[in-house]
């Protein structure tokens, strides 16, 4: 027998780590489900009492028992947005230079970030699934079981297929957020195969998913269709996200690149984050948050599906260029230090934890 040891090659997708995180996410997902059910009963009660703003948009939904699947869809949407906010905040904290006031370690924040990311994807699926179920019920009597199921599937899960009112844009945006969240969110478990630098590029781009999710909510959420405190609160929740993003850009956990293109990119990103902070404050102070005013005819859609398709192509092209650049700058053989960086926090963070 040969005494040459066989080197076990790492799997393309780290199933071991994925299963561990799924198990760790069970408690997190249970909490999300409890909150989802609480939101559902709250929405249901508001419909029953006639106090829901949704009734001004779609008065046909006044029968809460008949349209309960629509309210379940709404409940999953709101909990999904909440968990997306939580996981983005955790991710920004994780990638920012250690803040002394944090009561938990960076490793714990990283773990929470991964589990909440998985829960967010599950909640997004639940949001889409209950809309699909409502479409199946709504198609009852119009066509056979197979026809109404297929029609509901196309309207719910095929980007750009839904063609009614604001939904032809809003549902499109929501689907793009969902479909982008899956590969970008799960890229962590392929980091050993694609490399640390490429994974960081993919992971950073997931902020686009969050922006699309918030846009989808403000554009189509019937509970925030009209201007008011609830819609303004959704805007204000973006203030800590933008502030933490700016902090992360000013004090990243890892030493960023110093080439001219790196410096230019960071300058543009900092300017965008600062502009977002100013915009959110201005929106909250003025009350002009893009919501409709009851009894006043609103303006038409300023964004078309063609614009969104073009934006998606530009995003994919830019992401491809950044990935290619990261690949070109990666050494042919990953060093042990680089492998350790993928698996554990940077040295500066670990040292601050020990202190």
């Amino acid at each position: 027998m040969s005494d040459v040891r066989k080197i076990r090659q790492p799997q393309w997708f780290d199933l071991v780590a994925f299963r561990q995180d799924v198990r760790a996410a069970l408690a997190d997902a249970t909490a999300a489900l409890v909150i989802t059910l609480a939101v559902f009963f709250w929405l249901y009660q508001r419909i029953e009492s006639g106090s829901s703003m949704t009734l001004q948009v779609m008065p046909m939904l006044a029968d809460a028992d008949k349209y309960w699947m629509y309210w379940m869809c709404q409940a999953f949407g709101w909990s999904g947005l909440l968990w997306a906010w939580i996981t983005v905040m955790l991710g920004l904290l994780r990638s920012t230079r250690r803040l002394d006031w944090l009561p938990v370690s960076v490793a714990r924040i990283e773990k929470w970030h991964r589990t909440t990311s998985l829960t967010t994807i599950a909640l997004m699926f639940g949001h889409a699934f209950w809309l699909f179920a409502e479409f199946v019920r709504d198609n009852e009597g119009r066509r056979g079981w197979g026809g109404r199921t297929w029609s509901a599937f196309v309207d719910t899960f095929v980007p750009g297929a839904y063609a009614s009112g604001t939904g032809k844009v809003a549902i499109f945006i929501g689907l793009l957020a969902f479909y982008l969240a899956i590969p970008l969110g799960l890229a962590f478990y392929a980091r050993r195969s694609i490399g640390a630098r490429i994974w960081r590029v993919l992971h950073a781009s997931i902020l686009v998913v969050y922006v699309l999710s918030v846009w989808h909510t403000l554009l189509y959420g019937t509970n925030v269709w009209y201007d008011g405190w609830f819609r303004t609160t959704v805007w204000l929740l973006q203030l800590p996200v933008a502030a933490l993003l700016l902090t992360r850009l000013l004090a990243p956990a890892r030493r960023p690149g110093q080439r001219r293109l790196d410096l230019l990119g960071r300058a543009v990103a900092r300017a965008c984050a600062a502009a977002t902070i100013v915009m959110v404050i201005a929106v909250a102070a003025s009350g002009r948050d893009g919501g409709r005013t009851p009894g006043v005819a609103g303006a038409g859609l300023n964004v078309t599906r063609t614009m969104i398709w073009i934006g998606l192509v530009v995003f994919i092209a830019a992401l491809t260029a950044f990935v290619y650049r990261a690949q070109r700058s990666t050494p042919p053989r990953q060093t042990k230090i680089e492998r350790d960086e993928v698996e554990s926090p940077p040295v500066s963070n670990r040292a601050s934890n020990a202190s």
Side-chain angles (χ1 to χ4, degrees), residues 6-7 20 29 62 66 101 132 151 197 214 244 248 265 271:
K6 295 182 179 180
I7 301 177
Q20 290 174 346
K66 180 179 180 181
W101 53 266
F132 161 77
S151 175
R197 298 184 185 183
V214 175
L244 193 53
R248 182 254 179 268

Side-chain angles (χ1 to χ4, degrees), residues 33 36-37 40 67-77 122-137 152 156-157:
L33 183 58
T36 300
L37 293 176
F40 168 76
Y67 294 99
W68 69 272
M69 287 185 286
Y70 176 82
W71 301 115
M72 189 64 77
C73 165
Q74 291 282 294
F76 270 94
L123 292 171
M124 293 173 76
F125 174 76
H127 178 52
F129 171 80
W130 285 110
L131 181 63
F132 161 77
E134 172 57 31
F135 283 162
V136 172
R137 186 210 60 76
T156 306
F157 292 106

Side-chain angles (χ1 to χ4, degrees), residues 21-31 115 119:
D21 285 344
V22 168
R23 286 194 294 267
L26 290 178
D28 178 72
T30 301
T115 56
T119 301

Side-chain angles (χ1 to χ4, degrees), residues 9 35 55 63 68 76 86 96 140 143 160 192 195 201 211 227 231 255 257 281 286 293 299 314-315 334-335 346:
Q9 297 296 327
I35 290 177
L55 295 179
D63 188 343
W68 69 272
F76 270 94
I86 293 172
T96 302
E140 187 177 7
R143 50 178 68 91
R192 293 176 179 173
V201 169
V211 171
D227 46 20
R231 186 180 180 91
R255 187 174 183 273
I281 294 175
S286 66
T293 301
V314 171
F315 169 72
Q334 194 179 40
T335 64

